[in-house]
C-alpha cells in the first residue's frame, strides 16, 4: 500500500496536484527476473495451487486508481506495478552489471535459507536443473507449465463467463456438491 501512495504522490506532483486526465499514469518498476518467476511457480506448486494458477509472475499488474482524494472518483489517473526484466535470467543480469563495472544491491535476507523461497532458489532449483538435464531443459519445462496454466485459466474464465451470461438474470444456480472438487491453497 505504501508504494501505491508514493506513486500517487509522484504522479500528482508532476501534474501540479490537479485532477488526473486520461494521459496520466505511473508505474513502479521492480527488478524481478525470470528466476523469480520460476521460483513462484514452484512455491505455488508446493502450496497446492490449482493447475490454472501454476504460472509465474505477471509482467504488469492490473491498474489501480491513483486518486488520493476519495471525492475525485472521476479521476482517470492510474498506476501499475511492472516487472520489465522477467524475460532475463539473474546470471545474465549479473554478468551485464559486472562487465560494465556497475554496482547493485541484494537484499541481505537472500543469503539465508530461513525463507522458503530462498530454499527453493538455493537447493530445489539446482537439484531440478541437474535432474532435468541442464538449465535450458528446466527452463523449457517451466515455460510449458506457465503457458499451459495460462491456457487453462483463460479457458475456464471464458466458459464461466459464457455460462453465466446465458443464464436468465434472476436465476439461481447450485453447484452439485458430489460432482465438484474444490482445491484450497494454504
Amino acid at each position: 500500500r505504501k508504494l501505491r501512495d508514493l506513486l500517487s504522490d509522484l504522479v500528482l506532483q508532476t501534474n501540479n496536484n490537479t485532477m488526473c486526465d486520461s494521459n496520466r499514469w505511473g508505474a513502479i518498476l521492480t527488478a524481478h527476473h525470470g528466476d523469480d518467476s520460476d521460483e513462484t511457480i514452484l512455491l505455488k506448486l508446493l502450496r497446492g495451487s490449482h493447475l490454472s494458477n501454476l504460472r509465474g509472475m505477471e509482467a504488469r499488474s492490473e491498474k489501480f486508481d491513483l486518486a488520493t482524494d476519495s471525492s475525485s472518483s472521476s479521476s482517470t489517473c492510474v498506476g501499475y506495478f511492472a516487472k520489465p526484466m522477467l524475460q532475463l535470467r539473474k546470471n545474465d543480469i549479473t554478468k551485464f552489471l559486472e562487465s560494465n563495472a556497475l554496482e547493485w544491491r541484494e537484499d541481505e535476507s537472500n543469503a539465508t535459507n530461513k525463507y522458503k523461497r530462498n530454499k527453493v532458489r538455493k537447493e530445489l532449483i539446482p537439484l531440478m536443473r541437474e535432474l532435468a538435464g541442464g538449465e535450458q531443459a528446466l527452463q523449457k519445462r517451466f515455460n510449458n507449465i506457465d503457458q499451459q496454466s495460462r491456457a487453462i485459466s483463460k479457458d475456464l474464465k471464458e466458459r464461466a463467463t459464457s455460462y453465466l451470461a446465458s443464464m436468465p438474470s434472476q436465476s439461481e444456480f447450485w453447484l452439485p456438491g458430489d460432482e465438484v472438487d474444490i482445491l484450497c491453497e494454504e
Side-chain angles (χ1 to χ4, degrees):
R1 185 75 195 143
K2 290 179 182 178
L3 285 175
R4 287 183 182 189
D5 294 340
L6 174 64
L7 180 60
S8 182
D9 291 345
L10 289 171
V11 170
L12 292 175
Q13 279 178 354
T14 60
N15 204 26
N16 297 322
N17 288 320
T18 60
M19 291 290 290
C20 293
D21 59 31
S22 60
N23 297 319
R24 300 306 269 165
W25 59 275
I28 295 171
L29 305 180
T30 68
H32 290 100
H33 45 74
D35 296 15
D36 294 316
S37 191
D38 294 348
E39 293 162 11
T40 298
I41 292 172
L42 287 175
L43 288 167
K44 287 179 176 181
L45 180 65
L46 291 171
R47 282 194 306 260
S49 290
H50 188 270
L51 291 173
S52 63
N53 196 31
L54 281 181
R55 57 184 177 268
M57 297 177 167
E58 299 291 339
R60 189 184 81 186
S61 70
E62 295 292 323
K63 66 182 177 182
F64 53 87
D65 188 15
L66 287 176
T68 55
D69 180 2
S70 60
S71 65
S72 61
S73 60
S74 64
S75 170
T76 56
C77 191
V78 297
Y80 299 91
F81 287 99
K83 300 171 183 80
M85 297 176 22
L86 281 181
Q87 299 301 313
L88 303 173
R89 309 308 302 171
K90 181 179 181 178
N91 62 350
D92 294 329
I93 296 168
T94 305
K95 285 178 189 175
F96 172 82
L97 294 170
E98 289 171 347
S99 69
N100 289 285
L102 298 170
E103 292 183 32
W104 69 93
R105 295 183 192 179
E106 286 199 41
D107 188 324
E108 62 189 40
S109 69
N110 288 341
T112 176
N113 279 357
K114 177 181 176 182
Y115 303 102
K116 193 181 293 187
R117 179 175 288 274
N118 293 352
K119 204 165 196 171
V120 165
R121 177 185 305 128
K122 292 178 170 201
E123 296 178 18
L124 183 57
I125 290 180
L127 176 61
M128 290 179 70
R129 191 178 298 129
E130 177 186 326
L131 295 173
E135 176 69 31
Q136 288 182 326
L138 182 60
Q139 188 55 52
K140 185 174 181 177
R141 286 172 176 82
F142 279 127
N143 290 341
N144 288 340
I145 290 169
D146 185 270
Q147 290 172 0
Q148 291 169 17
S149 177
R150 289 176 193 279
I152 291 168
S153 181
K154 181 181 177 194
D155 182 62
L156 288 173
K157 285 178 187 173
E158 288 172 356
R159 288 174 188 236
T161 300
S162 175
Y163 176 76
L164 293 173
S166 70
M167 295 180 62
S169 63
Q170 299 299 320
S171 295
E172 289 186 26
F173 66 94
W174 297 88
L175 296 175
D178 59 340
E179 297 177 24
V180 177
D181 289 330
I182 299 176
L183 293 177
C184 298
E185 291 186 39
E186 295 178 7

